[in-house]
Amino acid sequence: MIDVLVVDDDFRVAEINAKYVGKVPGFRVAARAHSAAQALAAVERGSIDLVLLDHYLPDRTGLELVHLMREQGHGTDVIMITAASDVTTVQQAMRLGALHYLVKPFTFAALRTRLDSYAALRRTVDRVGGRGLTGQEQVDRIFGALRTAPAPSAPGLPTGHSEPTTDLICGVLHRADHPLSAHEVAARTGLSRSTAQRYLRHLEQAGRLRLSLKYGDTGRPEHRYAWVAP
């Protein structure tokens, strides 16, 4: 079994993520943590194979925690699970050795894909290491084990639309306390404005968003979108 530490400052989100992990064969939740200090203490106790790590924690960021873990010699594997989608944070996560980066909100299928590829990586490393093999072919096998197939469009989504991106935009609008423009959605998700507009248009036509117009000084109305509760 692969022992997982679930780290999220939101108790409810941590519980949901833990339930997701428990549904994937070969994985079990060894502990939960809601701060960087709690997470570090759990890692120091040992027996943690993988950390599912939020970036926004109350006492320090998730990446600061990873850096501290590495400084103290903890090689525990990390998969980032966070709403932080800016390029700088993603790049820092890569440089610190995060094996995957999953943007909230996400589906169970998306998490399972990452966990399955992580399990495949461990099996590959064990198999190659057990044979004492070296060389480019073996290195390619190890790195290739982490590849995940691109998520297909969910039923009902237009060609070129993906479920994770749809979920990302819906999550931003669901959390917003006021209607957002395509520019604001793009800024909060890290998507381009044109991509945000394309998804927003589809979601509004599907009845999942409410469109309103805001008139400014130029006389040209700005389209603003609000979440429609199911």
Side-chain angles (χ1 to χ4, degrees):
M1 296 291 288
I2 296 173
D3 287 322
V4 179
L5 169 64
V6 176
V7 184
D8 199 291
D9 67 320
D10 188 318
F11 285 71
R12 181 177 57 86
V13 173
E15 184 62 27
I16 293 172
N17 292 349
K19 288 181 178 179
Y20 279 173
V21 172
K23 294 168 63 176
V24 181
F27 290 82
R28 65 185 174 195
V29 176
R32 297 172 181 80
H34 308 292
S35 68
Q38 291 177 358
L40 183 60
V43 170
E44 289 176 339
R45 287 195 294 269
S47 78
I48 300 297
D49 300 306
L50 174 66
V51 181
L52 300 186
L53 181 60
D54 187 19
H55 181 58
Y56 299 118
L57 299 173
D59 46 352
R60 67 173 75 223
T61 68
L63 293 185
E64 289 173 342
L65 172 60
V66 177
H67 183 71
L68 181 60
M69 287 167 52
R70 301 300 181 243
E71 279 189 335
Q72 296 184 3
H74 300 296
T76 311
D77 294 322
V78 173
I79 293 178
M80 298 297 298
I81 297 183
T82 175
S85 58
D86 60 283
V87 174
T88 299
T89 302
V90 174
Q91 286 180 329
Q92 289 177 345
M94 293 174 62
R95 289 165 182 160
L96 287 170
L99 298 179
H100 279 301
Y101 197 107
L102 192 56
V103 178
K104 297 178 181 177
F106 55 90
T107 62
F108 167 65
L111 177 59
R112 176 162 187 170
T113 298
R114 273 69 178 181
L115 293 180
D116 284 344
S117 72
Y118 174 72
L121 170 66
R122 289 173 63 96
R123 290 193 299 270
T124 301
V125 170
D126 290 343
R127 184 166 58 250
V128 172
R131 296 175 182 174
L133 300 177
T134 58
Q136 189 62 53
E137 181 180 354
Q138 287 70 42
V139 172
D140 288 344
R141 287 182 186 176
I142 294 173
F143 277 86
L146 276 176
R147 294 174 186 159
T148 58
S153 294
L157 288 180
T159 302
H161 287 60
S162 71
E163 185 177 2
T165 302
T166 300
D167 289 344
L168 174 62
I169 290 176
C170 288
V172 165
L173 287 161
H174 185 262
R175 292 190 294 269
D177 56 5
H178 62 274
L180 301 178
S181 66
H183 177 76
E184 290 171 321
V185 171
R188 297 189 185 196
T189 59
L191 300 170
S192 68
R193 189 172 184 273
S194 61
T195 297
Q197 281 181 320
R198 182 158 47 89
Y199 277 81
L200 289 168
R201 190 178 302 114
H202 165 70
L203 290 167
E204 187 268 328
Q205 292 172 351
R208 299 176 68 179
L209 303 179
R210 182 177 65 254
L211 173 63
S212 60
L213 300 179
K214 179 181 180 182
Y215 290 87
D217 297 335
T218 62
R220 183 176 181 180
E222 179 184 54
H223 289 196
R224 303 182 72 82
Y225 299 87
W227 177 255
V228 176

